[in-house]
Every structure is written in C-alpha cells, then in structure tokens.
Amino acid sequence: MAIAHSFVHPIVLCGGSGTRLWPLSRQSFPKQFTPLIDNKSLLLLTLERLKKINPKIMCVGAEEHRFYISQDLDRLNLHAAMLLEPCARNTAAAMALAALQFNPDDLLLFCPSDHHIPDHDAFHHMVQKAATAASNNQLVVFGVTPSLPSTAYGYIQKGIAKNDSSFEVVRFIEKPNQQNAEKLLLQGDALWNAGIFLVKQKILLEALMQHAPDILESCLDAHQKSITEAFESHQFVRPDGKAFEACRSQSIDYAVIEKMDNIVVCNFLGAWSDVGSWNAVAQLTPSDQDGNRVTGNAITYLSNDTYVHAQERLVVALGTSDLLIVDTPDAVLVASNKNAEDVKLLVEHLVLNNLTQATAHRKVARPWGWYDEVDWGDSFKVKRIGVNPMASLSLQKHHHRAEHWVVVKGVAEITNGDDVFVLNENQSTYIPKGEVHRLRNPSDKALEIIEIQTGSYLGEDDIVRLEDNYGRTE
C-alpha cells in the first residue's frame, strides 16, 4: 500500500560539533551551518530536500544554535518547531525527546542535518518505499551501496529481501580497518549505514522502554516540564534543563537499534555523503587533470591531488602532493589527506592547550547579523559589525567600556542616551561608558560599521540588555 508523504513527519537532528571539518567548522559554528556547497549550508540543503515530503518540519538542536536554524528556515519560508536541547546528550536522547512531541501512529523520519543527498527524487522514492515497511511496525534504516572500501562509515550486512522492498538486517558492523572494508566491499551484501531512520512513534518509544528505559525516563521528565514559546513564525520547545542533564549520553544505534528485532534496511541507490571529513568535502568539488580541487580564492601550480579551501585571501599551493589546505581568517590547516580522519583528535589537542581557535571563530554570527574582531590590545578592541536589513541589536549598556562607531556601509539608526538619530556612510558617534544605546538598521540593505572599544575590560559578558528582540534579556 502506498503511503502519502503527508503521513511522514521529518525530524532534522541539528546537533554535533563537526570537529572533523576544523577550522571551518567549530563548536560555536558547526559544519551543518557553514556554507559548504553552492554557498548553502548542509542544513539548508537538508530542509530543501525534506520540505517536499512535508513542510511541517521539526528541528532538534542546541539552544545556542537556535538562530542559525531559524535563518535557514526563514530562507525557505518554513514555519517549523524547534526542539532546543539544554545540553548535548547524543542521538538517543534527541530522538526520544522529538518522538514525545508526536502521536503513536505517526511515521517519524529522522535525518541528520549535515549529510549531502543531491538527488531529491531518489530520496523521496526511498522514503515512499520505506514508509510501507515502517507502517508495518518495522524500524527502517537507510543503507547506501558502498562505492569504495571506506573506513569512515559503519556498515550494515543485509539479508534476504522482503515483499516491501526492504531487507532483513543480519548485523551491524563497526567502522572497519582497511582490510576488512575491502572484504565487505567484495562481499557484496554490506551497505554503509546512512544514519537515517523511519519509524512509528510508538515503535521507537517501545524500543527505548525495552532497551534504554533510563534515557526514556529522563526525556519524559524533561518533556513534561518543557516550556513552549512562539517567536515570529517559529515555535521553540525548551525541555527542562535539570531533567535533561541527568540523561545518559549514548547514540541511538548502540542504545536501541542494534538490539531490536523488528528492524529492516532499505537500500538507497542515490548519491550520498555524510561530509564527515575534508576528503569527503574535496570529493564534492570537481578536480583538474592532476587531481587538484579548489574552493574559493586559491590556485594550485605544479601540484597534484591537493585540495585548497580559501575563504578570502589568496592561497597558492606550489609543488604540493596529497595535501588538504584550509584557510580561515584566524587559523590555517595543512594536513596530509591520509590524516583527514585525525582532525578531530587535533581539535582535542588544541582544546587541551586552551586555544580559542579550537572552538570559536573570529567572525561570530548573531541573530541580527555578525561581528568580526579584526584587532585588539590591552585596552582596545576593533570590530566590524554587520546588521541585517530591518534588524536591531538590543538596547544595552556597558559598565567598563566606551565605544566609537563609524558607518562604512548603509544607514544606521542610533539610540544614544535620550537621543535617537540617523547616521549615513562616513559619519560617526561616541557612546560613553555606562550610556544606554542601540544600533538598528532601518533599511532593506545591509548595514556595516566599524566599532572601536576602549576601556579597562572588553569581554563580551560586559553587557546589560534592557530590551531585546530575541529573548536575551535577563
């Protein structure tokens, strides 16, 4: 029996730190939000793919990333619910929390936000087929036919075919070494585990109750004490923080799925990538005759099998072989492509050495736009600040610093104490320490200013918000 797409409820899992794509992806701005493909984020591409199945999408993500999620939803004019996790507790807890928002017979399609699946029609056809098996109380895992003996993915050994186009699952296989990966490829019955699941709400909750009752109990407690708020066209669901923090952290695969009996796999035949390393990113970029691949402002010369990602300044690779080069304003990665999977370990090393570049970018996104710290010293800091059309910073004041603002692009509406006035390009104002102030973009074009801070303390926590459009006042 064919299942209408409207019965399927897409749930996008937006968690994860994406450390394997450092320095572009960092804890404060993970890979699913970075513009990696055609100037679109992986989350945006995922939403584009899912909205044709059902435009009523739920996103599960961190509280600190809610405005990144909102921005991509707004670009597609999607009105979605956002389930905001107080802390990271892996996919078992995220999926349990999400499932508790639905009815027992709803079909839930869980999709990672950071995968690239360019063939939308093939994906929709796969969901249509999988829905038949899921409607018969099976949990459906999506598997991908391997194209090479990869050691970066887990595998699923499939068994006999069933009448609903699915296959029995013989076993799940951990990420293999190179020798075992080659054996699996020759074996012909092993699929890459794509981490996409389709299941009835009640089947998932029953499995959690049987195999991970402690996780379900913590999530149920957090769900029952949750708070739901509306913001513009979106709905924010905030589970209770204390209850959720008590939850055990484990992936859904280990906690539940690998222990289930009523589980099948559907073989997805379209192109798929989890974009899980710089080698995977490189494969998404066309190569020249020498195997070089370039994204952004870069040139290769007398080089072979070199990938260069350059955001702004010119990067030239001369006489290089088998390298990955990733340039950002405050950090550069130069690595052998054989060590692409070790970038995560590198980030752990940087964190242990207390390097801020390990987790945060110099350029920081905000719900109203962005700022970029371009220079700093003991008693001063210089920022470029961009404000989106019709957006506004909070009405605020600082205890320890004064600020000088110079408009370099667009029009700014300034609140400075009791005065409200407009500044155009090449005009400036001075905000004394302790003065109440606000910056607003009253136009439909981007606003950019240069801010020079002076004072004894210049930390981002020296801010008192009096009014705010984004719910950030005390």
Side-chain angles (χ1 to χ4, degrees):
M1 178 180 66
I3 305 298
H5 279 164
S6 59
F7 287 93
V8 175
H9 300 272
I11 300 170
V12 184
L13 303 176
C14 302
S17 57
T19 52
R20 288 183 178 88
L21 294 190
W22 186 88
L24 187 63
S25 172
R26 307 187 194 183
Q27 181 180 333
S28 64
F29 192 49
K31 72 171 183 177
Q32 57 266 31
F33 307 120
T34 60
L36 275 174
I37 301 171
D38 296 331
N39 203 34
K40 294 181 179 180
S41 71
L42 293 171
L43 172 59
L44 184 67
L45 293 170
T46 300
L47 294 171
E48 285 182 340
R49 182 170 69 251
L50 294 176
K51 72 175 184 177
K52 297 178 182 179
I53 294 174
N54 188 341
K56 295 181 179 179
I57 296 172
M58 170 173 283
C59 293
V60 185
E63 175 76 33
E64 65 179 304
H65 298 145
R66 65 193 185 279
F67 295 112
Y68 297 137
I69 300 172
S70 296
Q71 287 169 6
D72 280 347
L73 289 168
D74 290 341
R75 286 183 64 179
L76 298 176
N77 196 29
L78 290 173
H79 308 301
M82 274 176 273
L83 183 59
L84 302 176
E85 298 173 288
C87 56
R89 286 296 181 267
N90 219 311
T91 51
M95 290 173 62
L97 269 180
L100 290 168
Q101 308 292 322
F102 293 90
N103 297 316
D105 287 320
D106 288 342
L107 292 180
L108 310 182
L109 177 64
F110 291 96
C111 296
S113 60
D114 55 358
H115 291 185
H116 181 48
I117 303 175
D119 191 339
H120 291 190
D121 290 339
F123 181 77
H124 298 157
H125 182 62
M126 182 81 272
V127 173
Q128 188 79 26
K129 290 197 301 182
T132 303
S135 296
N136 292 325
N137 298 327
Q138 305 285 317
L139 185 145
V140 185
V141 185
F142 285 28
V144 177
T145 301
S147 57
L148 71 161
S150 174
T151 61
Y153 305 135
Y155 288 72
I156 304 169
Q157 184 180 358
K158 65 180 181 179
I160 62 174
K162 307 188 75 174
N163 294 332
D164 55 14
S165 300
S166 66
F167 295 84
E168 291 183 353
V169 172
V170 176
R171 62 176 176 141
F172 290 88
I173 304 165
E174 298 289 334
K175 294 178 181 178
N177 58 30
Q178 187 64 37
Q179 183 179 3
N180 289 333
E182 291 172 358
K183 289 180 180 179
L184 288 170
L185 193 66
L186 292 173
Q187 197 172 293
D189 61 353
L191 305 173
W192 287 336
N193 186 347
I196 301 172
F197 311 102
L198 183 62
V199 62
K200 276 186 182 179
Q201 187 256 22
K202 65 182 179 183
I203 298 301
L204 178 60
L205 294 186
E206 287 170 4
L208 284 161
M209 177 62 74
Q210 180 180 358
H211 302 295
D214 59 319
I215 292 178
L216 180 59
E217 182 180 0
S218 295
C219 290
L220 185 59
D221 187 20
H223 166 70
Q224 291 173 339
K225 298 174 183 177
S226 65
I227 297 174
T228 301
E229 298 176 338
F231 178 75
E232 294 182 347
S233 59
H234 306 302
Q235 184 183 69
F236 290 160
V237 180
R238 290 183 167 90
D240 181 73
K242 186 175 181 180
F244 193 66
E245 287 172 6
C247 185
R248 173 165 57 92
S249 177
Q250 194 172 26
S251 73
I252 192 67
D253 301 81
Y254 294 149
V256 173
I257 291 178
E258 295 183 7
K259 302 173 182 177
M260 292 177 64
D261 295 324
N262 55 332
I263 181 168
V264 295
V265 60
C266 280
N267 191 355
F268 177 59
L269 300 177
W272 169 86
S273 172
D274 75 339
V275 200
S277 70
W278 280 113
N279 281 339
V281 175
Q283 291 299 317
L284 300 176
T285 306
S287 69
D288 64 15
Q289 61 184 8
D290 297 313
N292 300 305
R293 303 170 190 268
V294 166
T295 300
N297 190 18
I299 294 174
T300 58
Y301 188 73
L302 300 178
S303 298
N304 62 278
D305 297 319
T306 294
Y307 173 72
V308 186
H309 182 102
Q311 290 184 303
E312 296 178 4
R313 59 188 169 187
L314 175 65
V315 175
V316 180
L318 171 62
T320 59
S321 299
D322 305 317
L323 281 187
L324 301 165
I325 303 172
V326 183
D327 181 55
T328 66
D330 62 345
V332 180
L333 172 69
V334 181
S336 166
N337 56 25
K338 297 177 182 178
N339 293 96
E341 296 295 331
D342 297 325
V343 173
K344 181 178 181 180
L345 300 177
L346 168 67
V347 174
E348 293 174 1
H349 176 73
L350 297 177
V351 171
L352 289 175
N353 284 274
N354 298 315
L355 294 170
T356 58
Q357 293 93 333
T359 57
H361 279 282
R362 195 185 80 176
K363 186 174 182 178
V364 178
R366 283 290 183 259
W368 40 261
W370 54 268
Y371 70 81
D372 185 4
E373 295 184 0
V374 298
D375 197 8
W376 55 88
D378 290 338
S379 59
F380 77 93
K381 184 183 290 184
V382 181
K383 287 183 176 181
R384 288 175 56 201
I385 297 178
V387 186
N388 296 330
M390 307 307 294
S392 172
L393 281 67
S394 59
L395 185 67
Q396 58 186 254
K397 63 180 180 180
H398 309 291
H399 292 303
H400 303 287
R401 70 176 184 250
E403 296 176 343
H404 302 255
W405 291 350
V406 182
V407 178
V408 294
K409 182 180 179 181
V411 178
E413 181 186 282
I414 310 293
T415 299
N416 191 350
D418 294 330
D419 298 327
V420 179
F421 51 92
V422 171
L423 293 182
N424 295 300
E425 293 179 9
N426 301 320
Q427 294 182 324
S428 63
T429 189
Y430 168 68
I431 312 291
K433 180 174 65 175
E435 187 65 271
V436 174
H437 60 279
R438 172 176 251 160
L439 174 65
R440 177 176 176 267
N441 183 352
S443 74
D444 58 358
K445 297 181 180 179
L447 164 65
E448 187 173 324
I449 72 166
I450 301 297
E451 176 181 272
I452 303 173
Q453 303 176 3
T454 57
S456 58
Y457 178 72
L458 305 172
E460 290 300 318
D461 56 348
D462 178 24
I463 181 171
V464 179
R465 293 189 176 95
L466 306 174
E467 294 178 7
D468 185 62
N469 295 333
Y470 311 103
R472 298 175 298 170
T473 54
E474 294 295 329

